[in-house]
Structures are given as structure tokens and as C-alpha cells.
Amino acid sequence: MGTAAFTQNTEVRIAGKGFLMLRKVTDDTWQLEETKTKRIHEKTDIELRSMYVDGILEFACEEELTNCKSKLTGKSNLEISEPLMNDAKVRRAYALAANECPATKAAVEAVAKEVWVKLGKPPEVPHWTTVYRWKKRLIDAGRDIHAVVAKVSKKGNRKRKYPPEVIKIIEDAIESCYMTPEKHPMQAVLDKAVLNVRRENKLRPEQLQLKEPTRRVVTSMISDVPAFDRCLAREGRTVAARRFRAVLGHRTTEAPLERAEIDHTLLDLMVIDDDSGLPLGRPVLTACIDDYTRCVLGINIGFEPASFLTVARCLKSVFMPKTNLKTLYPEIQNAWDAHGVMRELSMDNGLEFHSNSLEEACYSLGIEIHYSARKTPWFKGKIERFQGTLNRAVTHTAPGTTFSNILEKGDYDPLKHAVVRLSALQQIVRKWIVDVYHQQPHRALKVPPAAMWKSSINIEDILVPEDPEKLDAILGRRAERVLTHKGIEFEGLSYNSPDLTKLRMQLGEKLDVEICVDDGDIGKIVVLSPNKKQMFTVPAIAQAYANGLTAWQHKVCKRYAANQLDKYDTTAWLEAKERIAEMIRDEFALKKAKGKTRSRGARYKTGANVAPDSTAGSACDDVDIKAKSPPALPLPAQPSPLKHPTATSPTSAPVSATSLSTLQPRLIPVIRQRNQYQTQPKT
């Protein structure tokens, strides 16, 4: 970097246009001549210096230096080795001495010899034209020493030793062989180029034969292709965009609950059943984190695959205060204060996030939904980092870890070492979040997330849903149905109540209504009046069957009933439900649960048994079934009500069912009543 001054004949650029400073017409006014049009402009000295400070005005030497850097050829003038810098100091001494004498051969030779006697460098006295050239470069660059640095990188032969025909053949081979998704190796490119050269030589006379390329020239030409273009052609645009992305700015927030991120992850841990002790599979964690304080707002752990149900359970945990956390989990020492309705919710493009129900739920609470671009996890990096931290801190230290990298597994068998019960995992994860993650200083914040939350938000500023009872309706799956005297039919179940009868008497015999269904419990639905001003909670008529049943469990029972039982029997689903429970019991007793079947059974068992984190009846998380279910009752000693003896095999239907202790209390009276009816003599 040299120096410059606002003097006569100085070349500058203003807003990209070239100017020459002609003359100073007054004490503070300059006349500038535009280089291309020769038009005259007048600028005051203050205006010129202001434009220089703002970057609008540039001196010509600065522009040349910038252009030189942008070419990316050779090394930058800031990356000069010590030997080259010492040589530049010698050249500078010769140039400064020559600047004090006339520009004649005799004068410059005399000065050069005098300096050489003092320095003894270089080995011989430099020629007077060389000294004059050093002097001109130094003065033109504003006495910048970089102007006389030896350009070693430009020495030697910088032209290809191969004729243009061979270069063109190599370029075609690179384009058609190397720059492809098949990712052919360098040797394949060389082989193709050599083959094409030999084919060309067969058509040429001996005097015009082309030289065959070597691996070195092919490697050199491939390296000349920009790295981004190589990655784009071989890996695809998504990979190239991820590898060569630049963090030029990031989304910032200024207060808690201004923005939150939500995502799913499969925990690297095998979980065992609380009753039988058999492995169930890997649970799914859905978590939501606050962008500003890094506090975890809510979680959901279960075997339900990523779906709107898991999102809804997690969001309910996010919105509601977790006042009964210590009652459910006495081992937790600190309070989980982070909760509330956020202003923005960031998520990826999973199908579970692209649902009308989620969109309507968020918009009804005033939440803006922001989707990250496809395959760009860094747009929600905070939740991605948190889930990775939790997996490493909690699951990788416990027996039964599955390891995210198969190379780390070795001889370790997670099924043999899976000793973490589901209820224990629920408590461990929450305790780690509340007592560890929220209490230790965050690397970016330099303070604990819990302290950041308390110091940056007042309790009265936390937004919560107005009516907790309406939250299930807001977070439920929406559907359109017709209300008649039979009530509402949904998935083969009928729903009716006196409130719906009054609604029909007021508005009409048949009404088009909208219903909201909680897939975690189809024992009841929420019905919205046609004008959307009234909301009714309507139970299922078959409460003995539907109460506490998930939509997926209902689907399993219907499929079993359709395949194994009488399709025209109105109690077939009840029998299917009891039969599935027996099959799961037998399967767990035989200890033959494997892979997907084991996970499906775990999903069935834990689907409807959820533990709230708040006093408002939140159904956001799965808990210990054994602690929640009543004690098991013995089955009655009546004959089996099944009409098809072939359906008794444990492998004749999907092996997935609720806990027997959960099903018995509500199924036994129904089965006994049906058996008594069947044994009565016909009249």
C-alpha cells in the first residue's frame, strides 16, 4: 500500500468513473476532467475528502492494487517471504539513491556503484537500466516497497507445452468424464484423453503427430477448474451450496420468545419396557428451543414417528407452564421456567410440518411459520446443535446406546445392553435439561440459559393460550363432517352428545361442521359450530373401546378385526383389542420381539399414556405405564369369544397392542356381557 495526495495530475475514480485533477481554481475548489468525455467538473476540497472517506473516491494506484488482488494469480503482496522482502529492501535503496540524481546513464551508473560498495548486494553491480526501472516503479507506487518485490512466480515458462488441439481434447475429456455425477477418477480422464489423441494421430501424417498428454498436465488442468464448479458437477447443487456457503450474516433476536426452532431426532438409545424388560426400540425426541436464551421450551419423547401428533404434543408442552414438573419427577432440583407462545417458529420441510392443522393452529395463536430451505440445517442450527449435545451427553453414556456412527459400534450389541426403562429415560432427559443444560454457562451466551431467561423477560410478558381447554382443539387435526340425528361419524366411530342435539334444534336438521381430532386420544372430539363461534367436546358413543385410544391403535384394531373377525359383528373391535393385548403379552413372554415389530408394539403401548408437565392437563409426553395403569385383573374363565380358531396364532396379525393391565378394566365387563348373551338359550 502506497500513499497519494490531492495534487495536480492525480488520477482518481469517482463512482467508477475516471477523472484527472487538472487545476485548483480557488483555494478550496478543484477542476476535474472526466477521462472518457473530457467534461470538466468542479469539486471542493472538502467534497473530495468526504468522498474519499466514504469510499466513493479512489486513487488510481489503489484501484490497480485492488484489480491485481482480484485476479488471484500468484501470491498477494501481503504474503511475501523474508528473503524476497530483504531483496526488496536492497532494490529500494538503489531506487532512492537514483531518485536524487539526473536520469542519465553516467549519473545512474555512478550512484549504483556507490550503493553497491556500501551494501555488497547483489553479487554484481546492477545495470543502470535496472536501477532506473526500480526507481520508476517505486515512485509511481507512492514509494510502496511492494512495487520493487521480485515477481518470482512469473518466472519460467507459463505457456502450455501442448498444442491447442491436445488442450481441447483434454478439456473435452474433463467435461465428459470428470465433471459428471459418476465421479470418475483422474486416471479415467487421462485414459480417455490419450485414446482420443491416438485416434486423432491415425488421421494425421507423421510430421503432424500430436504429443500424448501426461497425468501431470491433466491434473494441472483439472485444478484450474474452480472448486465450486467441480463440486457442483460431481456432487450436485445441494452439496456444493452446503460446502461453499458463507456466513455473511445471521438471524438475530432481541428478546425471549421472539423466535423458536423445532425439530425431531431419533435418540441413539435402545429402551426397554417397564413391565417385561424387553427392548422396545429407539424413541423419537421432538424438542423446541428459544433462539434468544437457548432455553428448551418443551419436549416430547415417544415411539410415535414424526407426525403432526408429535409436533402438537411438543407445542402443548411449550405453551403451558410446567408447574407440576417436580411432582412428576422428584429428582429434578430446579424449576423449568421457559414456556410461552413464540412470535416466530422455524422448522424444516418435513411432511409433519406442512399440514393445514399446524398452520391453522399457529396462525390462531399469532405465530409466524418460517420454513428453512431444503437440506439447509444451518438455518435452524440451534436446535440441531442442542439435539446433538443431548445425544452425546445422555444417550451415548448409557448402556444400550446405538452410536450414530456404525464404525464406533465395534462388538457392542445395544440389544444386550439396553437397560434404560422408558420411564427412567423420561426423567433422565428432563433432569439433564433442567439441572444441567439450563444451569451451565452457554458457550455463545457466556451465561446459563436459565439465568438468561430470568434476566431478559418478565413473567407478565409471557404469552399463553387464553383457554387451555381450547388448546386441544387448536392443535387437533381438522376435518369436515355432517352432523345428523346419528351424531358425527369419524373413522368408523360415532360421536354424539346433548349439546349437539340442541345445536341441531337451533340451526337445522343437518349441519356442516368442522371437527378437531386429537390423534393421541380419539375417545372424544371437538366440534365447531357452523359459524365457528361455539365449540363442543363430544365423547365417542363406544367409550369402552375408544377412551384413551390413539388413532394409530384404532387403525390396528380395525385391520385385525377386518382380517380375523366377523365384519358384521358390532363388537368385533372390542374382541380385536383384547386379542391384540393377548398376542403382545404372549410375544413378550416368549421374548421374540424383533426390529420393526418391537418398535410398533412400543408405539402401541405408549401411544395414549402421556404425562403432563403442567397443571392444565398437558398431554405432551409419554411416561411410565406401570405407574399410571391400574393393577392387572385376571381374565374371566369363560370360553374365548373368538369365532375363528385360526386367529389364535401370535403371528397371524400385527404384533402391537396396549398394555394388558390398561385394557382389562374397561374390556372385561363388555366381554362378560357378550359371553353371557351368547350362552343364553334361544327362544
Side-chain angles (χ1 to χ4, degrees), residues 385-397:
R385 173 58 66 89
F386 165 76
Q387 290 175 339
T389 302
L390 186 146
N391 251 332
R392 290 188 297 271
V394 177
T395 63
H396 287 188
T397 59

Side-chain angles (χ1 to χ4, degrees), residues 511-533:
L511 302 175
D512 293 329
V513 296
E514 183 178 358
I515 65 173
C516 303
V517 182
D518 180 8
D519 287 334
D521 183 5
I522 60 173
K524 60 182 182 300
I525 62 174
V526 176
V527 180
L528 303 179
S529 61
N531 57 8
K532 306 295 178 66
K533 294 183 178 180

